[in-house]
Amino acid sequence: MHASMRKSASLNVVQRAAPRQASMRSAPARPTPSSRAATVQVRAFFGKAKPDNEAILGEVSAQFDRWNAALQTKDPKQVAALFAKDGVLLPTVSNRVRTSPGEIEEYFSNFLQLQPNGKIDDSNVRLLAEDTAINSGVYTFDLVKDGKPAKVQARYSFTYKRLDDGQWYIVDQHSSGMPEVVADNDLEEVAMQFDRWKASLQTGDPAKDYFVNFLHLKPFGKIDESNVRMLASDLAINSGVYTFKLTKDGDVSTVQARYSFTYRKVDGEWFIIDHHSSAMPESQEKKIAEVSKQFDRWNAALQTGDPKKVAALYAPGGVLLPTVSNQVRTTPEEIEDYFSTFLTLKPNGKIDDANVRLLDEETAINSGVYTFALVVDGEPTKVQARYSFTYKKFNKECLIVDHHSSGMPEKVEQAVQKAEAAKKETVAAK
């Protein structure tokens, strides 16, 4: 195994042994394929056309119905039983690549709580060998979230292998949200196809229209986690996680994504026949969590009692529309002046209701309701207000570009007026 294959990557190379006996897996009975409105394309990728291809492709198409019927049982063991022993699952809403029956079962134990019921919207079925096939396209799920029905559309790739018991099993399932008997050296050769593909990216020469735009970002990729499997002597799949360095408007960023490459060897050369790439589904949740933490950062600055530290959290050109002042603060000095008064009330805030939205890669908004514990004339009091924080990243630091606070102004105004009066008395005394 070349060292380059293991650089910055967890590589699981699996050589497929002889097919399992039927006794190793108790598969649910296959249901009659349901009728569905879907775009279906079927074609063979091996040898000459054979009379029984249509029947085999029909069997492959029916595997989705079999899988969906297993979902309806709400039994994760029955769903996991449809995967081959060395099957791999790259699920829609988890970054973790599942590579064992136990991990696959664990994923579906959570997913089945949503009562999923799927249908195919667009299907592309291909026969890669007499006992190997792939079905990729788009499906939609009816789910129940928080007691309410919902629909979610996603892209899918199922790669199937027919084993000794005559049943088709899933050797690879890759699902992603909508965005816009072989020698080791053969396995190694398949793993190295990523480097070949990456090298072509560096040429800047697009092979297809998609890459015209993608290559403008000067992508440079590396494998983080790889799972290589030989499906036949001239057929292989590599799925896992990769990371790209991209350059946009002169700024360099890093993006992690999941991938599945299915390869076919033709005249001694490997070619990609299916490539599925999807964003890490949990990355958006992490970004939302990062935005949510900005309130805690701002509130911690309030606890210092230093108006300069609070004002430093606002971007150059940041705007503050405070709760009880008509003056719109548009400079760091004006913002600092406001907090020099407000901090005399020893404010300590907490969020009552938050609504975080990502507007783009660098901009987000958090709006809702917060409550402040204040000290007025030595007496503790609580004041509730509405808020909107708009954040933007500057050199990887999240700063406030707009802060609007409103609501219940008469109570807050009285507290601030007393604080301003006390401040004036202190100045006069000096």
Side-chain angles (χ1 to χ4, degrees), residues 65-104:
D65 299 303
R66 182 182 175 212
W67 178 79
N68 191 54
L71 296 184
Q72 307 318 303
T73 68
K74 298 182 176 59
D75 183 355
K77 289 184 182 295
Q78 291 198 39
V79 183
L82 300 180
F83 287 76
K85 187 176 181 180
D86 56 356
V88 172
L89 169 65
L90 293 85
T92 317
V93 293
S94 173
N95 289 353
R96 183 176 161 202
V97 179
R98 267 56 176 204
T99 59
S100 72
E103 291 174 345
I104 292 171

Side-chain angles (χ1 to χ4, degrees), residues 95-148:
N95 289 353
R96 183 176 161 202
V97 179
R98 267 56 176 204
T99 59
S100 72
E103 291 174 345
I104 292 171
E105 182 180 327
E106 182 268 334
Y107 173 78
F108 283 107
S109 66
N110 293 312
F111 183 60
L112 292 178
Q113 294 177 19
L114 300 176
Q115 302 176 36
N117 190 4
K119 73 176 184 68
I120 295 285
D121 301 318
D122 179 22
S123 176
N124 298 272
V125 181
R126 286 139 294 162
L127 203 54
L128 308 180
E130 292 191 35
D131 60 355
T132 310
I134 189 167
N135 182 359
S136 56
V138 178
Y139 50 16
T140 296
F141 282 96
D142 288 311
L143 306 172
V144 178
K145 294 183 176 182
D146 301 324
K148 297 180 180 179

Side-chain angles (χ1 to χ4, degrees), residues 111-397:
F111 183 60
L112 292 178
Q113 294 177 19
L114 300 176
Q115 302 176 36
N117 190 4
K119 73 176 184 68
I120 295 285
D121 301 318
D122 179 22
S123 176
N124 298 272
V125 181
R126 286 139 294 162
L127 203 54
L128 308 180
E130 292 191 35
D131 60 355
T132 310
I134 189 167
N135 182 359
S136 56
V138 178
Y139 50 16
T140 296
F141 282 96
D142 288 311
L143 306 172
V144 178
K145 294 183 176 182
D146 301 324
K148 297 180 180 179
K151 286 185 181 289
V152 175
Q153 192 176 58
R155 302 176 303 170
Y156 71 84
S157 296
F158 287 97
T159 303
Y160 301 101
K161 184 84 172 172
R162 182 160 53 185
L163 301 184
D164 271 1
D165 60 3
Q167 294 280 3
W168 291 92
Y169 291 93
I170 302 166
V171 293
D172 194 272
Q173 181 191 348
H174 186 151
S175 184
S176 67
M178 305 298 284
E180 183 224 22
V181 131
V182 204
D184 281 349
N185 59 345
D186 288 328
L187 291 165
E188 184 176 315
E189 187 179 350
V190 172
M192 291 176 66
Q193 296 309 305
F194 175 79
D195 297 318
R196 180 181 172 220
W197 179 76
K198 182 177 72 173
S200 70
L201 295 182
Q202 309 317 306
T203 67
D205 182 12
K208 292 190 177 181
D209 57 351
Y210 168 79
F211 288 103
V212 171
N213 294 317
F214 185 58
L215 291 178
H216 288 160
L217 301 176
K218 301 178 181 178
F220 187 84
K222 73 178 184 70
I223 295 284
D224 301 318
E225 180 182 349
S226 176
N227 298 273
V228 180
R229 283 139 295 154
M230 298 301 301
L231 306 180
S233 60
D234 61 350
L235 192 62
I237 189 167
N238 182 0
S239 55
V241 178
Y242 49 20
T243 296
F244 281 93
K245 283 187 178 180
L246 306 174
T247 303
K248 185 178 181 181
D249 300 327
D251 295 327
V252 178
S253 62
T254 300
V255 176
Q256 193 176 56
R258 303 177 301 171
Y259 72 85
S260 295
F261 288 98
T262 304
Y263 300 102
R264 158 76 73 185
K265 184 180 275 190
V266 180
D267 295 330
E269 186 175 3
W270 289 97
F271 290 95
I272 301 166
I273 58 175
D274 194 90
H275 177 197
H276 188 153
S277 184
S278 64
M280 303 297 282
E282 294 175 0
S283 59
Q284 188 170 13
E285 294 178 8
K286 291 180 181 178
K287 290 177 182 177
I288 290 174
E290 182 183 355
V291 173
S292 298
K293 288 180 181 178
Q294 299 309 309
F295 175 80
D296 299 319
R297 182 181 175 213
W298 178 79
N299 191 53
L302 297 183
Q303 307 316 304
T304 67
D306 185 350
K308 289 185 181 295
K309 289 187 176 180
V310 182
L313 300 181
Y314 290 75
V319 174
L320 169 64
L321 294 85
T323 315
V324 293
S325 172
N326 290 346
Q327 182 185 350
V328 179
R329 316 292 168 127
T330 59
T331 68
E333 292 76 20
E334 290 174 346
I335 292 172
E336 183 180 328
D337 171 72
Y338 174 79
F339 283 108
S340 67
T341 298
F342 185 60
L343 291 179
T344 62
L345 301 176
K346 301 180 180 179
N348 190 0
K350 73 176 184 69
I351 295 284
D352 300 319
D353 179 24
N355 298 274
V356 179
R357 285 138 294 158
L358 301 176
L359 306 183
D360 57 41
E361 288 295 319
E362 297 179 340
T363 313
I365 189 168
N366 183 0
S367 55
V369 177
Y370 48 18
T371 296
F372 283 95
L374 306 173
V375 178
V376 181
D377 296 333
E379 296 292 329
T381 187
K382 288 183 182 290
V383 175
Q384 193 174 59
R386 300 174 302 170
Y387 72 85
S388 295
F389 287 98
T390 304
Y391 301 99
K392 188 171 181 65
K393 276 194 173 181
F394 295 85
N395 296 324
K396 297 185 178 181
E397 184 182 13

Side-chain angles (χ1 to χ4, degrees), residues 10-27:
S10 169
L11 179 63
N12 297 320
V13 178
V14 179
Q15 177 173 337
R16 184 174 294 282
R20 295 172 304 126
Q21 299 298 319
S23 60
M24 296 177 65
R25 176 87 67 175
S26 177

